[in-house]
Amino acid sequence: MSSDPPGFELPLRLLLGFRMLIDDLHAELARRGHPDVRPMHGFVMQAIGVEGTTAVELGRRLGISKQAAGKTVGTLEQLGYVERACDPGDARRKIVRLTPYGLESLALSARVFDELRARWAGTLGPERMRAFETDLRALTEGETFRLDVPGWFGA
Amino acid sequence: MSSDPPGFELPLRLLLGFRMLIDDLHAELARRGHPDVRPMHGFVMQAIGVEGTTAVELGRRLGISKQAAGKTVGTLEQLGYVERACDPGDARRKIVRLTPYGLESLALSARVFDELRARWAGTLGPERMRAFETDLRALTEGETFRLDVPGWFGA
DNA sequence: TGGGAAACGTAAACATAGTTGTCGAAATGG
DNA sequence: CCATTTCGACAACTATGTTTACGTTTCCCA
């Protein structure tokens, strides 16, 4: 009588939910002045943070090589979201920092994500929304985020 | 008093949960005789199904071009998971079918997914696990699965 | 019946991820 | 002071996707 759903539905819907949020976010970002930012860029800028960082450290945070991190930073630089500056204290290092435009996109993303969460809470009700997030947090406890999606998903 | 979590945590953890399940699945698949199958391959084989299908239809189901579907089928064919046969009723079409090896990997995946779901249910308890899945299903209602992850995630 | 339109599969060219390997420049430390 | 380490950049390669194009086969309608 329990009739549990098949196990393969779970990963499918987790991915579906993720994609749904990210797609909605970027539709809204495009509408509000950031049409060129891609899903990956958001994660990278989040990893760069307000403080700024280096390519090596960025790669470490995202679980990719420093070369891949450097390439992505180059793209973001062309789009005007980040800038590279030499470290006065260490001539080897170059600090990657968010530009005002980049900071704005990050702040906007945070606002839109909150709106999207509110919409989801409207579907489930605040009670179950809270429970849903608590459970999801419990299930993914201790996991670290990795950005190596392309190579990981299909080798 | 409500102190809702920030909205950006939701997509992050959805992706984390997805990746967790898929990584565990493939670790187990590798252990049980399928070391070469990649995350993407599982979704493609699932889309091919027991009946078999064509490259065009496969692309349609996965939300990718028929050419991309054809390429992936070629890879899967080399690995021995699928085979291509001419359609006796239509010389234009070529039916892609799972080999016994492919069918076995699909059945094994289903079993492992059920085991993983049971492990998650062990964390939350059967009650909340059921509620979690119900809510997730409600939130992702009507969404269609797309396999164009590489091009979608980073443009 | 015949010919144009549509569908299928394949290939080439291109763009974008990632990776490894290599290298020069700068900092570190024994 | 020299050897080792670290950082950033470049080249070569793989894997994914896309668009464009083409030859073959089928379908449909005038």
Side-chain angles (χ1 to χ4, degrees), chain A residues 105-120:
Chain A
S105 83
L106 218 50
L108 183 53
S109 292
R111 248 176 301 151
V112 175
F113 269 138
D114 285 337
E115 292 171 14
L116 293 174
R117 185 197 174 279
R119 189 188 307 166
W120 279 30

Side-chain angles (χ1 to χ4, degrees), chain B residues 20-146:
Chain B
M20 215 173 140
L21 289 172
I22 298 298
D23 278 343
D24 287 352
L25 167 70
H26 286 273
E28 196 58 31
L29 284 179
R31 219 172 295 134
R32 300 199 206 172
H34 293 271
D36 293 328
V37 68
R38 305 288 313 155
M40 202 195 37
H41 297 156
F43 289 96
V44 174
M45 287 194 279
Q46 189 76 44
I48 291 172
V50 194
E51 304 289 315
T53 183
T54 68
V56 168
E57 175 57 25
L58 187 58
R60 222 174 277 144
R61 289 183 195 172
L62 296 172
I64 58 178
S65 65
K66 61 180 181 176
Q67 295 87 338
K71 277 191 205 176
T72 304
V73 167
T75 304
L76 247 23
E77 190 176 29
Q78 284 187 320
L79 290 173
Y81 286 99
V82 308
E83 58 191 0
R84 274 188 265 221
C86 292
D87 185 335
D90 188 336
R92 291 172 306 178
R93 314 176 83 207
K94 284 188 179 172
I95 308 295
V96 181
R97 250 191 239 89
L98 293 169
T99 62
Y101 187 55
L103 283 168
E104 179 202 308
S105 83
L106 217 50
L108 182 53
S109 292
R111 247 176 302 151
V112 175
F113 270 137
D114 285 337
E115 292 171 14
L116 292 174
R117 185 197 174 280
R119 191 188 306 167
W120 279 31
T123 300
L124 297 185
E127 201 76 18
R128 297 191 70 162
M129 185 69 206
R130 195 73 64 77
F132 181 82
E133 286 179 299
T134 302
D135 290 344
L136 183 58
R137 197 177 300 119
L139 291 169
T140 58
E141 193 61 54
E143 291 291 305
T144 62
F145 181 73
R146 323 229 92 209

Side-chain angles (χ1 to χ4, degrees), chain A residues 2 4-23 38-40 43 113-114 117 120 123-124 128-141 143-149 151-155, chain B residues 2 4-23 38-40 43 113-114 117 120 123-124 128-141 143-149 151-155:
Chain A
S2 68
D4 281 329
F8 67 79
E9 189 181 339
L10 201 49
L12 228 49
R13 292 205 181 270
L14 288 170
L15 181 59
L16 240 38
F18 169 74
R19 177 151 188 167
M20 214 173 142
L21 289 173
I22 299 299
D23 278 344
R38 305 288 313 156
M40 201 194 37
F43 291 96
F113 269 138
D114 285 337
R117 185 197 174 279
W120 279 30
T123 301
L124 297 185
R128 296 192 70 160
M129 185 69 206
R130 195 74 63 75
F132 181 82
E133 286 179 300
T134 302
D135 290 344
L136 183 58
R137 196 178 301 119
L139 292 170
T140 59
E141 193 61 53
E143 291 291 305
T144 63
F145 182 72
R146 322 229 94 210
L147 195 70
D148 56 347
V149 177
W152 165 78
F153 194 64
Chain B
S2 65
D4 282 328
F8 68 78
E9 187 180 339
L10 201 49
L12 228 48
R13 293 206 182 269
L14 288 170
L15 181 58
L16 240 37
F18 169 74
R19 177 153 187 164
M20 215 173 140
L21 289 172
I22 298 298
D23 278 343
R38 305 288 313 155
M40 202 195 37
F43 289 96
F113 270 137
D114 285 337
R117 185 197 174 280
W120 279 31
T123 300
L124 297 185
R128 297 191 70 162
M129 185 69 206
R130 195 73 64 77
F132 181 82
E133 286 179 299
T134 302
D135 290 344
L136 183 58
R137 197 177 300 119
L139 291 169
T140 58
E141 193 61 54
E143 291 291 305
T144 62
F145 181 73
R146 323 229 92 209
L147 194 70
D148 56 349
V149 178
W152 166 78
F153 194 64

